[in-house]
Amino acid sequence: IGHTRWATHGSISEANAHPHLSVDGQFAIVHNGIIENFEELKQRYNFHLISETDTEVFVNLISQQNGDVLDKLIAASDVARGSFSIALLHKGENKIYLAKQGSPLMVAVGKNGCMVASDSSVFGNDFDDIFCMEDGEFAILEKNGVTFFDKNKQKIEKTPILRELFDFDEQNTQEKYFMLKEIKEQSAVLRKTYFKFFSQGVNIDIQAIRKFKSFHLVACGTAYHSCLMGARYIQELCKKECKVTIASEFRYSDNLLNKNCLYIFVSQSGETADTIASAKLVKDSGFSVMCVTNVPYCSLNNYADYILPTFAGREVAVASTKAYTAQVFTLLIFASMLSGKDMQEKLKRFVLNFEIALLDDKILQEIFKYKKIFFIGRGQDYFTCLEGSLKLKEIAYINCLGIPAGELKHGTLALIDEDTLIIAVATQENLKEKLISNILEAKSRGAKVIVLSQFENFFKEALQINLPQFDEFLMPIVSIVPLQHLAFEYSIKLGLSPDKPRNLAKSVTVE
């Protein structure tokens, strides 16, 4: 058993790394999640610990319980509070004991053995059956199979999930880095998404969804940015109110829930802890939930009245690229279907003609001179700025900002000087003059300006990254690609790992 875990308790050190052993040396454990009452348990049992982790408390809690190994695991899980997926070894046994509460846990069975993981993508094509464990379930994994139990130690018969719903693409790639591979795959992802919705058909009850008078999108990080764009599509095409809230704020706010509102929760993995908790809150309160995920069997979808799938395929790099464009495009398709407007031909022309274009070296070398960078834009371009700046923060560790261009004069201008780079995203005809005024505000204070636009010679005194010309509502998908590539190249320039940035995890399964 092993676990590459995002540090939640204690420093990143050998002592705090998984697996953890019990003091008596009888048990070893790996754990995904957080034991919220670990300090209380540590005091109650007076454990002698060598790490700062909640996980070491848990494995010693297991060793202190009565009965056989499964009895001990069930009893300890009843005492522990929080979220956890557990894989446990007992000395002398060729078995792995499993427990699930809150965090994801999946089991695969095949002719060559069995495997357990928190994400089905690691199973590949090597297994015949895949099982999703539910909260409060336990299991014993052996070479020839798996047996599932409830908290009363009664055996459970579980049905394997449909393997064909998963995308187990081979990960052999000519690219050295997954992030660059995934940036280049985005045009193919858009074509696949179009095909899935308009040729194969996606089973979603649009007629039922049309009865809702308003919508509220909830997500974290990159998915939150896709929600901002999705809300704009819904409001513009459907003329219905649409709010967007960060999930970690939604779950602790006094939300006035409304039966005439559909609450839409967006997560690439479907395992984002704050998003799941927010969906559960809405569902438990008796209101309607739609989930937008890239994984058909995930914790988030357990709370869904409606499921809107995305088709990004497997995304390995921690910084999301193709999952973001898949979410934005899927929410656009959803809004068009909801509105009843026939946009199929426009979308078809787009996916058939859009190709990924990477930044040239001249532009990159100019950008590399700066470590104080502001992304500015208005309307839909502001959302692109937020996502572009997040990418640069995530993998190049550059302290940059994405801000509405009109807000420069309300404080941010104080930070701008000759050491500042302004990247201006300009894809909207009706806002060209306003954005030029904002660019002049920054340039007059010494800032270097680079423009990202499909409009020729948008600002003559600036370097320009030229974008291909498509319908304006599609330009947020086009304009984000150069910013993704910028972040990737800046990371490489600094000698960093773009696929595995420090302090971050691909799927944030803890609060």
Side-chain angles (χ1 to χ4, degrees):
I1 55 175
H3 185 18
T4 305
R5 187 188 183 202
W6 185 38
T8 55
H9 292 76
S11 60
I12 300 171
S13 67
E14 183 87 14
N16 290 333
H18 291 224
H20 287 282
L21 296 176
S22 59
V23 172
D24 61 13
Q26 293 297 304
F27 295 94
I29 193 174
V30 290
H31 159 221
N32 185 26
I34 292 179
I35 307 302
E36 295 173 356
N37 61 335
F38 84 106
E39 286 285 3
E40 172 194 325
L41 295 170
K42 186 161 61 173
Q43 297 299 324
R44 185 194 308 176
Y45 287 90
N46 195 27
F47 293 132
H48 176 69
L49 305 176
I50 62 172
S51 78
E52 303 166 86
T53 67
D54 55 336
T55 305
E56 193 184 3
V57 172
F58 200 177
V59 71
N60 281 288
L61 178 66
I62 292 168
S63 72
Q64 294 287 315
Q65 307 306 309
N66 297 318
D68 62 22
V69 178
L70 186 58
D71 288 325
K72 289 175 181 286
L73 182 57
I74 292 172
S77 299
D78 189 51
V79 174
R81 293 199 309 272
S83 64
F84 49 85
S85 290
I86 297 297
L88 179 76
L89 295 179
H90 181 229
K91 191 173 184 178
E93 289 191 69
N94 189 24
K95 299 176 181 179
I96 301 176
Y97 293 83
L98 310 174
K100 182 196 181 305
Q101 184 62 49
S103 298
L105 199 60
M106 308 184 84
V107 177
V109 178
K111 61 180 179 295
N112 294 319
C114 303
M115 184 178 183
V116 60
S118 57
D119 189 322
S120 62
S121 63
V122 304
F123 298 144
N125 290 303
D126 300 328
F127 296 92
D128 300 320
D129 291 323
I130 298 174
F131 300 89
C132 287
M133 290 185 64
E134 303 295 333
D135 287 352
E137 290 184 351
F138 302 84
I140 301 175
L141 194 65
E142 300 179 78
K143 180 179 179 180
N144 297 321
V146 59
T147 307
F148 297 98
F149 302 88
D150 64 18
K151 63 182 180 180
N152 297 314
K153 211 177 174 182
Q154 298 298 308
K155 289 184 180 180
I156 302 171
E157 293 296 326
K158 292 182 70 68
T159 303
I161 57 183
L162 298 174
R163 293 185 78 263
E164 57 266 28
L165 294 179
F166 289 96
D167 190 340
F168 290 127
D169 287 342
E170 291 298 322
Q171 291 303 315
N172 296 327
T173 174
Q174 295 179 344
E175 301 294 345
K176 182 178 179 181
Y177 298 101
F178 279 109
M179 184 176 179
L180 185 58
K181 170 183 177 287
E182 289 157 7
I183 289 171
K184 291 181 176 181
E185 286 176 343
Q186 289 177 106
S187 56
V189 167
L190 294 171
R191 288 192 288 271
K192 180 178 180 180
T193 302
Y194 175 90
F195 175 76
K196 289 286 189 179
F197 277 92
F198 292 108
S199 294
Q200 288 189 338
V202 172
N203 186 22
I204 182 166
D205 193 346
I206 287 293
Q207 293 300 330
I209 293 173
R210 281 182 180 144
K211 72 183 179 184
F212 294 101
K213 296 179 180 178
S214 62
F215 300 86
H216 194 150
L217 287 92
V218 183
C220 300
T222 285
Y224 169 70
H225 298 155
S226 69
C227 286
L228 292 171
M229 199 60 235
R232 186 180 179 93
Y233 289 141
I234 291 171
Q235 290 192 161
E236 288 187 352
L237 295 175
C238 306
K239 307 303 179 187
K240 291 189 176 184
E241 180 186 8
C242 192
K243 294 173 62 178
V244 186
T245 305
I246 293 172
S248 56
E249 293 297 314
F250 181 92
R251 64 183 294 195
Y252 294 115
S253 301
D254 292 327
N255 294 294
L256 300 176
L257 300 178
N258 181 352
K259 68 179 181 180
N260 293 315
C261 178
L262 178 62
Y263 296 87
I264 304 174
F265 299 88
V266 182
S267 168
Q268 183 270 332
S269 66
E271 302 296 347
T272 309
D274 284 312
T275 308
I276 292 169
S278 299
K280 184 177 186 302
L281 185 155
V282 171
K283 186 68 173 177
D284 289 349
S285 300
F287 298 94
S288 299
V289 169
M290 185 169 87
C291 296
V292 183
T293 67
N294 196 51
V295 181
Y297 289 94
C298 59
S299 301
L300 184 60
N301 284 348
N302 291 333
Y303 302 102
D305 298 294
Y306 309 97
I307 295 175
L308 184 68
T310 59
F311 301 99
R314 186 184 181 199
E315 189 176 63
V316 177
V318 167
S320 181
T321 53
K322 64 177 182 174
Y324 173 75
T325 52
Q327 287 170 355
V328 172
F329 193 53
T330 299
L331 288 169
L332 169 59
I333 291 172
F334 170 72
S336 71
M337 294 168 67
L338 197 62
S339 70
K341 293 180 171 63
D342 185 5
M343 299 176 65
Q344 186 171 344
E345 276 305 308
K346 286 185 177 181
L347 298 180
K348 182 180 180 179
R349 284 197 302 272
F350 172 61
V351 299
L352 291 179
N353 290 285
F354 175 56
E355 298 295 338
I356 301 301
L358 302 181
L359 296 175
D360 64 42
D361 192 60
K362 178 184 175 182
I363 290 284
L364 288 169
Q365 292 307 317
E366 191 63 38
I367 293 170
F368 292 158
K369 297 176 184 177
Y370 295 89
K371 292 205 172 175
K372 186 162 67 169
I373 301 174
F374 295 91
F375 297 79
I376 66 169
R378 287 174 174 262
Q380 66 184 29
D381 294 330
Y382 165 53
F383 307 147
T384 302
C385 289
L386 288 175
E387 178 60 13
S389 67
L390 178 61
K391 293 283 96 66
L392 198 55
K393 292 186 190 92
E394 282 178 311
I395 63 169
Y397 317 148
I398 300 295
N399 190 1
C400 55
L401 286 176
I403 59 174
E407 283 293 295
L408 275 175
K409 63 179 72 67
H410 297 288
T412 307
L413 274 179
L415 297 173
I416 292 177
D417 56 24
E418 63 277 1
D419 296 321
T420 305
L421 173 64
I422 296 289
I423 297 178
V425 184
T427 69
Q428 298 158 100
E429 180 72 40
N430 67 323
L431 292 172
K432 288 168 69 174
E433 292 182 359
K434 296 292 184 185
L435 186 59
I436 288 172
S437 296
N438 301 134
I439 290 172
L440 287 168
E441 290 172 344
K443 189 168 179 59
S444 67
R445 287 156 176 84
K448 176 76 175 183
V449 179
I450 293 178
V451 172
L452 192 66
S453 181
Q454 76 273 34
F455 303 121
E456 189 174 349
N457 296 321
F458 180 85
F459 186 76
K460 292 182 180 179
E461 299 174 59
L463 284 174
Q464 180 159 327
I465 300 169
N466 293 310
L467 299 174
Q469 178 84 47
F470 291 103
D471 289 300
E472 203 168 271
F473 65 89
L474 293 164
M475 291 309 294
I477 297 172
V478 178
S479 60
I480 191 57
V481 175
L483 301 185
Q484 295 168 343
H485 185 231
L486 160 60
F488 171 81
E489 293 292 350
Y490 212 137
S491 177
I492 298 297
K493 172 73 174 176
L494 296 175
L496 304 172
S497 169
D499 287 345
K500 298 179 180 179
R502 67 189 184 196
N503 303 335
L504 301 178
K506 182 63 180 169
S507 180
V508 183
T509 59
V510 296
E511 181 179 349

